[in-house]
């Protein structure tokens, strides 16, 4: 997992107030993000956990200001530049790159028989899928670690942005367990309900999405949503064939889910903070 990016997020993501007010803002935002994540998972809709977390914290921070508590206004510019803009741009970039990658890939396979080409593309897709799994763990792992570090700092148990070993082990174990027992619901939507694509285009989509996750985690050190990146790459690669292969009803539902994630979790985070504020 990318501990460097986790340190960056913990240091620059949100400047929480110290003590119980900061913990209240974080817990309310985290509960809102978890609730939204469970609801979208039940509906088999891929959504961005980072967008949900950002929306929840922004909503709980606004609710804290509303009741006269501390605010996180100084963090809003960082949220826009480091979190929101990369998350909004990454689906567009993934769609375009996957669409364009089909052309040189098709040219390289022009002398291969369909059977041999499909076999090679399936092998390459398996490799890129494994790389995507690692990149997805790096991206989601650093967000999980950053949230735990923020909680430790707000509670006064840590005064720096270092990542303890137990935090890394806990984040990795939780992500692995969640993917093992529940990830198949989202995978079914992406693999079967969204677009019908051949092995060549499936390989192109996984190549683009895995490369973007590694680039975001290791080079640019910005958070990217693995779910949004993979979904957009699949649609981009699938659009580079017959137009009817894209199933627009599931695609429309996914886009609506993406657009409503941050506002919904912001509202829920604000309500949850108001509910717990008398205890703070």
């Amino acid at each position: 997992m990318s501990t460097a990016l986790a340190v960056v997020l913990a240091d620059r993501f949100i400047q929480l107030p110290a003590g119980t007010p900061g913990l209240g803002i974080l817990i309310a935002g985290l509960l809102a993000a978890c609730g939204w994540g469970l609801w979208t998972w039940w509906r088999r809709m891929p959504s961005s956990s980072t967008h949900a977390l950002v929306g929840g914290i922004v909503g709980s921070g606004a609710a804290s200001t509303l009741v006269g508590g501390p605010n996180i206004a100084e963090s809003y510019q960082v949220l826009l530049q480091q979190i929101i803009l990369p998350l909004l741009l990454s689906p567009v970039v993934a769609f375009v790159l996957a669409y364009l990658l089909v052309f040189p890939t098709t040219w390289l396979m022009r002398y291969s028989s369909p059977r041999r080409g499909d076999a090679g593309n399936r092998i390459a897709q398996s490799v890129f899928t494994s790389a995507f799994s690692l990149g997805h763990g790096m991206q989601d792992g650093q967000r999980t670690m950053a949230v735990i570090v923020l909680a430790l700092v707000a509670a006064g148990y840590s005064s720096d942005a270092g990542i303890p070993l137990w935090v890394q082990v806990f984040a990795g174990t939780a992500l692995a367990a969640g993917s093992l027992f529940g990830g198949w619901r989202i995978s079914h939507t992406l693999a079967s309900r969204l677009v019908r694509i051949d092995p060549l285009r499936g390989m192109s989509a996984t190549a683009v999405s895995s490369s973007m996750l590694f680039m975001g985690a290791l080079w640019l050190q910005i958070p990217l949503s693995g779910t949004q990146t993979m979904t957009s790459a699949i649609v981009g690669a699938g659009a580079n064939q017959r137009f009817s292969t894209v199933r627009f009803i599931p695609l429309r539902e996914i886009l609506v889910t993406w657009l409503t994630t941050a506002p919904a979790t912001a509202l829920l985070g604000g309500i949850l903070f108001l509910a717990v504020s008398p205890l703070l």
Side-chain angles (χ1 to χ4, degrees), residues 117-133 190-191 197-210 230 234 237:
D118 287 348
N121 285 321
R122 287 191 176 95
I123 294 174
Q125 185 177 355
S126 299
V127 174
F128 285 124
T129 301
S130 300
F132 176 84
S133 299
L190 297 181
I197 56 178
D198 55 28
L200 184 146
R201 288 169 175 81
M203 183 274 295
S204 301
T206 53
V208 168
S209 55
S210 59
M230 177 59 84
I234 290 175

Side-chain angles (χ1 to χ4, degrees), residues 236-254:
N240 195 325
Q241 54 185 351
R242 293 191 307 274
F243 195 72
S244 60
T245 57
V246 179
R247 297 172 176 170
F248 285 95
I249 293 179
L251 179 60
R252 182 184 61 191
E253 294 175 351
I254 291 173

Side-chain angles (χ1 to χ4, degrees), residues 164-252:
L165 178 61
W166 70 266
V167 173
Q168 300 177 42
V169 173
F170 173 80
T173 303
L175 287 171
S179 300
L180 178 63
F181 293 106
W184 61 270
R185 296 179 68 89
I186 305 301
S187 300
H188 179 264
T189 297
L190 297 181
S192 301
R193 297 182 56 207
L194 191 56
V195 183
R196 299 187 301 274
I197 56 178
D198 55 28
L200 184 146
R201 288 169 175 81
M203 183 274 295
S204 301
T206 53
V208 168
S209 55
S210 59
S211 300
M212 288 184 61
L213 290 186
F214 275 95
M215 185 178 297
L218 300 178
W219 181 34
L220 300 177
Q221 293 193 350
I222 56 175
L224 299 177
S225 171
T227 305
Q228 287 188 346
T229 304
M230 177 59 84
T231 303
S232 302
I234 290 175
V235 175
N240 195 325
Q241 54 185 351
R242 293 191 307 274
F243 195 72
S244 60
T245 57
V246 179
R247 297 172 176 170
F248 285 95
I249 293 179
L251 179 60
R252 182 184 61 191

Side-chain angles (χ1 to χ4, degrees), residues 4-280:
L5 184 50
V7 170
V8 171
L9 281 179
D11 185 48
R12 299 167 62 186
F13 179 38
I14 292 288
Q15 298 297 322
L16 288 175
T20 54
L23 276 178
I25 293 174
L26 180 62
I27 291 174
L30 186 59
L31 288 176
C34 290
W36 179 262
L38 288 173
W39 185 71
T40 53
W41 169 82
W42 181 256
R43 296 183 61 245
R44 304 174 187 264
M45 287 292 106
S47 65
S48 170
S49 57
T50 306
H51 264 155
L53 180 61
V54 169
I57 292 179
V58 168
S60 59
S64 174
T65 305
L66 184 64
V67 296
N71 62 71
I72 57 171
E74 63 274 9
S75 301
Y76 290 158
Q77 185 176 0
V78 175
L79 285 173
L80 178 64
Q81 296 176 353
Q82 299 293 329
I83 308 295
I84 298 177
L85 286 180
L87 288 174
L88 292 178
L89 292 176
S90 60
V92 179
V93 174
F95 178 91
V96 173
L97 290 179
Y99 186 93
L100 295 177
L101 183 60
V102 174
F103 293 110
T105 305
T106 304
W107 183 82
L108 291 173
M109 302 292 294
R110 66 191 185 281
Y111 295 127
S112 299
S113 64
R115 182 176 180 180
R116 182 180 178 184
D118 287 348
N121 285 321
R122 287 191 176 95
I123 294 174
Q125 185 177 355
S126 299
V127 174
F128 285 124
T129 301
S130 300
F132 176 84
S133 299
L134 177 60
H136 188 260
M138 292 170 63
Q139 286 284 343
D140 279 19
Q142 45 83 12
R143 285 192 285 274
T144 305
M145 291 188 291
V147 169
I148 297 175
V149 170
L150 284 171
L152 293 174
V153 172
Y157 290 105
S158 177
S159 58
D160 54 40
I163 309 295
L165 178 61
W166 70 266
V167 173
Q168 300 177 42
V169 173
F170 173 80
T173 303
L175 287 171
S179 300
L180 178 63
F181 293 106
W184 61 270
R185 296 179 68 89
I186 305 301
S187 300
H188 179 264
T189 297
L190 297 181
S192 301
R193 297 182 56 207
L194 191 56
V195 183
R196 299 187 301 274
I197 56 178
D198 55 28
L200 184 146
R201 288 169 175 81
M203 183 274 295
S204 301
T206 53
V208 168
S209 55
S210 59
S211 300
M212 288 184 61
L213 290 186
F214 275 95
M215 185 178 297
L218 300 178
W219 181 34
L220 300 177
Q221 293 193 350
I222 56 175
L224 299 177
S225 171
T227 305
Q228 287 188 346
T229 304
M230 177 59 84
T231 303
S232 302
I234 290 175
V235 175
N240 195 325
Q241 54 185 351
R242 293 191 307 274
F243 195 72
S244 60
T245 57
V246 179
R247 297 172 176 170
F248 285 95
I249 293 179
L251 179 60
R252 182 184 61 191
E253 294 175 351
I254 291 173
L255 291 177
V256 170
T257 300
W258 288 1
L259 292 174
T260 55
T261 291
T265 53
L267 179 61
L268 184 57
I271 293 173
L272 289 173
F273 183 85
L274 294 177
V276 302
S277 59
L279 304 177
L280 303 178

